[in-house]
């Protein structure tokens, strides 16, 4: 799956913290934490995150849970390992991975949106169920669902140690009759020598 992912998860993965900084996930992570605590029969201690990406959400949840982070992109896992060295990291596809153990809770954030067919969506949900202890909870948090989808544009980015990134994000639906939408990204990357380059990237997401 990694070879078919957008460039942000492959050769541009090291730029991820400058596109989406961990601090911006604090409020969301607290909401997820409260939801997990309320949904589990007993207070959860172990948490499996499927599609953990660069580990931004994990950087906040690791204070309350013992985390196992699974992602299909090796370079993104490397970014997360640097940010969250105390967490267990596993290379795996949420549609197929089986760890042979269960967790108090399972979490899938926006990576669920890369499931663009109902078959793959069911596979990811089956993986979550297979790893969830009886009495535990699964929280799945896509950015968009069909009932609330709206096209939009967005921009952002951050400065880092000697380099910087800015981006424009354009979310739109080329065909409202199908079960997917598109996010076109343009990254403006400034390296340590002050050189600038522009990279276009496309993300195709499921919409159900």
């Amino acid at each position: 799956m990694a070879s078919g992912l957008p460039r942000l998860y492959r050769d541009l993965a090291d730029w991820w913290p400058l596109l989406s900084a961990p601090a911006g996930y604090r409020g969301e992570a607290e909401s997820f934490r409260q939801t997990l605590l309320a949904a589990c029969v007993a207070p959860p201690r172990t948490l499996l995150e499927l599609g953990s990406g660069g580990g931004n959400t994990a950087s906040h949840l690791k204070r309350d849970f013992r985390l196992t982070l699974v992602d299909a992109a090796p370079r993104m896992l490397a970014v997360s390992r640097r940010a969250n060295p105390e967490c267990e990291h596993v290379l795996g596809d949420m549609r197929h991975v089986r760890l042979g153990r269960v967790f108090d809770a399972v979490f899938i954030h926006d990576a669920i949106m890369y499931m663009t067919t109902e078959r793959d969506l069911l596979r990811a949900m089956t993986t979550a169920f297979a790893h969830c202890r009886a009495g535990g909870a699964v929280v799945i948090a896509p950015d968009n669902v069909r009932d609330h989808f709206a096209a939009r544009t967005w921009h952002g980015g951050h400065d880092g140690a000697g380099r910087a990134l800015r981006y424009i994000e354009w979310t739109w639906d080329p065909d409202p009759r199908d079960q997917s939408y598109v996010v076109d990204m343009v990254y403006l990357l400034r390296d340590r020598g002050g050189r600038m380059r522009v990279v276009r990237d496309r993300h195709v997401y499921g919409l159900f």
Side-chain angles (χ1 to χ4, degrees), residues 14-37:
D14 283 345
W15 291 89
W16 167 252
L18 299 185
L19 185 143
S20 189
Y25 287 66
R26 185 175 293 109
E28 243 185 356
E30 177 59 21
S31 175
F32 298 142
R33 186 184 76 87
Q34 293 289 349
T35 301
L36 287 164
L37 291 174

Side-chain angles (χ1 to χ4, degrees), residues 70-113:
V70 174
D71 200 88
R75 294 194 178 190
M76 268 299 197
L77 273 184
V79 172
S80 181
R81 284 191 184 98
R82 291 195 291 271
N84 306 296
E86 63 274 70
C87 298
E88 178 186 15
H89 289 78
V90 179
L91 180 65
D93 188 319
M94 71 172 73
R95 297 170 297 179
H96 314 299
V97 68
R98 293 294 184 271
L99 302 181
R101 51 196 160 110
V102 293
F103 299 80
D104 297 333
V106 181
F107 173 59
I108 311 177
H109 195 195
D110 46 10
I112 193 67
M113 298 186 303

Side-chain angles (χ1 to χ4, degrees), residues 6 113-116 143-146 149-154 168-187 200-208:
M113 298 186 303
Y114 287 106
M115 305 297 104
T116 57
D143 283 349
N144 286 295
V145 295
R146 171 60 71 188
F149 178 81
R152 71 165 198 169
T153 56
W154 193 255
I168 298 174
E169 172 187 314
W170 185 1
T171 298
W172 61 294
D173 189 353
D175 185 356
R177 298 167 298 179
D178 67 11
Q179 294 179 315
S180 66
Y181 69 101
V182 169
V183 176
D184 282 313
M185 302 283 292
V186 176
Y187 314 121
R200 178 185 169 187
D201 204 13
R202 169 165 282 196
H203 302 249
V204 179
Y205 295 136
L207 191 63
F208 301 99

Side-chain angles (χ1 to χ4, degrees), residues 191-206:
D191 67 19
R192 288 175 173 82
R195 293 176 294 270
M196 306 286 282
R197 61 185 172 117
V198 177
V199 179
R200 178 185 169 187
D201 204 13
R202 169 165 282 196
H203 302 249
V204 179
Y205 295 136

Side-chain angles (χ1 to χ4, degrees), residues 45-50 66-70 87-91 97-106 126-134:
R45 298 177 182 274
T46 59
L47 175 63
L48 171 66
E49 183 179 356
L50 299 170
R66 188 165 70 251
L67 285 174
T68 296
L69 307 177
V70 174
C87 298
E88 178 186 15
H89 289 78
V90 179
L91 180 65
V97 68
R98 293 294 184 271
L99 302 181
R101 51 196 160 110
V102 293
F103 299 80
D104 297 333
V106 181
T126 300
T127 297
F129 179 82
H131 291 89
C132 188
R133 191 184 313 280

